[in-house]
Amino acid sequence: MPRSSPRRSAPPQSSSHRRLAVGCLAAAFGLVGQSSRALGAPDKAELCLHGGTVLDPRRRLATRADVITRAGIIAEVGLAMPCKGTILDVRGAFIIPGLVDLHVHGWGNPSPTANGEDDRGRESVLRLFLRAGVMAVLDLAGNDGRLALRDRLRGSPQHARLFVASVVVPRTDDEAELRARVRAVATKKPDFIKIISATGPVAPVVDEAQRLGLRAVVHIAAWREAEAALAARAAAITHFEDEALIPDRVVSIWAASPTISIPTMAVQCDLARLHSEPARLSDPLLEALTPPTLRAAYRAHDEYTRRARHWVRWQAEGCLAHDVPTLQRLHGAGVKLLAGSDTGNLGTFQGVSLHSELGWFEAAGVPA
């Protein structure tokens, strides 16, 4: 039976209004606390953002106000405050909390055709995130070379803050060997452990990571894998099973668990949506952060690779039929949800796709 088109129930474009992020005012996953710098602003003694609309997610308020930062730190929020430094007129803009993307692959943006790939260096990608209001990212690609980049750029006001996970693939049932593998990975000082759960038992890996003070994020492709991760009390589970709606028993187990869900709706929905609604490629934020050759490749449907065509079909069948209702069920059950875009894959764009992820949350009734 044909599935619903991705066009139906699709969330609105998230960048229809200009946004100016001035700090990370809320923590996500314990990674980021109060921001120490203003995004896109020079590190001067005082900067005054005049006339913007300040969004306060905690109180769910949107208030017209001025914001004053001193030495990059938000100092005052109010109306008609005197300014001793640089004044930036942000009338018509929203001043939002800095965002955190909890699932990225920190390379460039792939193309759905054989041409047009946006092949930027990993350091440049972190600049893109910052321009999109993303103050910090968790790289789950499992490339330990990013650990050196993380350390080198720590404290840089020009880059999103980078957190890195090292990957453990449990291809054995030998618990002692799995624990030894976690200990070996831990010597590299990653911020998290990522477990590819389809290959073997996750409980010993999660337990050993926790014993060493590391949180484990479990990558799943099936609901039975989610059950195993929940039984192991993993810190988080990333992805859904796209081919099936979440079973009631998994919802019940998850509701009683501290494990967080990072759904990655963007990577599971957005390629099909771009294919059916190419006008979205004219999104102002997307145009600002991607080259025209990449956007042209997404418009060239007849030139899509076999893999890209497969992804379009997979997403058109699964996104609205399974993924959106699963997100709604988890939210309704009180499961904690955090946003991660899984950028670095087809249909996603570094920095931009976290806005899309939040749009899918909104469409599913999940408050930002």
Side-chain angles (χ1 to χ4, degrees):
M1 178 180 296
R3 306 282 188 187
S4 299
S5 163
R7 183 186 305 275
R8 195 173 301 164
S9 301
Q13 287 181 258
S14 60
S15 57
S16 57
H17 301 284
R18 289 192 302 131
R19 288 162 168 80
L20 180 65
V22 297
C24 189
L25 305 181
F29 215 170
L31 292 183
V32 180
Q34 289 286 344
S35 171
S36 61
R37 296 195 179 272
L39 173 61
D43 189 12
K44 295 182 178 180
E46 184 165 293
L47 176 70
C48 307
L49 306 178
H50 173 70
T53 299
V54 177
L55 301 186
D56 183 345
R58 182 169 297 174
R59 295 188 296 164
R60 302 190 63 77
L61 293 175
T63 307
R64 182 68 57 84
D66 300 335
V67 175
I68 295 179
T69 71
R70 297 191 179 99
I73 297 173
I74 296 173
E76 296 181 63
V77 178
L79 288 173
M81 295 182 296
C83 181
K84 299 178 181 178
T86 302
I87 298 176
L88 182 62
D89 188 340
V90 294
R91 285 175 293 181
F94 289 105
I95 303 172
I96 70 171
L99 304 174
V100 178
D101 194 329
L102 288 166
H103 191 149
V104 309
H105 298 261
W107 46 69
N109 296 308
S111 168
T113 72
N115 302 301
E117 182 178 9
D118 180 15
D119 187 15
R120 307 194 197 193
R122 296 165 185 166
E123 187 171 335
S124 297
V125 166
L126 293 173
R127 290 176 179 267
L128 288 180
F129 279 114
L130 201 62
R131 289 182 62 192
V134 181
M135 309 293 289
V137 299
L138 174 57
D139 194 317
L140 292 175
N143 188 322
D144 289 338
R146 288 176 172 78
L147 294 167
L149 181 67
R150 173 199 67 183
D151 295 342
R152 180 166 63 83
L153 295 180
R154 182 168 290 156
S156 168
Q158 304 302 323
H159 302 84
R161 188 171 180 185
L162 176 62
F163 295 84
V164 179
S166 291
V167 171
V168 173
V169 183
R171 291 197 175 98
T172 177
D173 292 331
D174 188 324
E175 181 174 328
E177 182 179 337
L178 289 173
R179 290 180 180 274
R181 196 176 302 172
V182 176
R183 291 195 295 273
V185 165
T187 63
K188 302 173 185 178
K189 301 188 183 305
D191 301 295
F192 287 81
I193 298 292
K194 177 183 176 182
I195 305 169
I196 308 295
S197 65
T199 55
V202 301
V205 181
V206 171
D207 184 68
E208 190 67 16
Q210 291 175 342
R211 192 184 69 80
L212 297 171
L214 289 167
R215 284 166 288 191
V217 178
V218 180
H219 167 112
I220 69 157
W223 293 124
R224 56 179 173 77
E225 297 168 21
E227 288 188 79
L230 291 167
R233 299 178 72 81
I237 293 171
T238 189
H239 303 312
F240 292 158
E241 179 179 341
D242 303 295
E243 291 77 19
L245 186 64
I246 188 169
D248 290 340
R249 71 176 184 281
V250 179
V251 175
S252 297
I253 296 169
W254 213 328
S257 166
T259 301
I260 291 165
S261 172
I262 305 172
T264 64
M265 299 292 292
V267 80
Q268 292 163 195
C269 296
D270 278 358
L271 182 60
R273 189 173 67 174
L274 288 170
H275 189 270
S276 65
E277 300 179 53
R280 288 181 177 273
L281 291 163
S282 299
D283 179 286
L285 183 61
L286 184 62
E287 288 185 334
L289 298 184
T290 59
T293 50
L294 177 64
R295 300 192 300 277
Y298 273 93
R299 290 187 171 96
H301 295 170
D302 292 343
E303 299 176 23
Y304 274 25
T305 63
R306 182 178 179 181
R307 178 172 180 260
R309 291 195 300 271
H310 168 72
W311 274 42
V312 170
R313 291 192 299 270
W314 150 59
Q315 292 185 7
E317 292 173 357
C319 175
L320 297 182
H322 302 139
D323 295 329
V324 171
T326 291
L327 182 59
Q328 291 170 327
R329 286 190 177 193
L330 290 177
H331 172 60
V335 173
K336 186 173 184 179
L337 302 160
L338 292 178
S341 63
D342 204 3
T343 51
N345 286 292
L346 287 174
T348 63
F349 306 94
Q350 304 287 359
V352 179
S353 288
L354 185 62
H355 294 258
S356 175
E357 184 76 11
L358 295 173
W360 284 110
F361 275 40
E362 181 183 9
V366 181

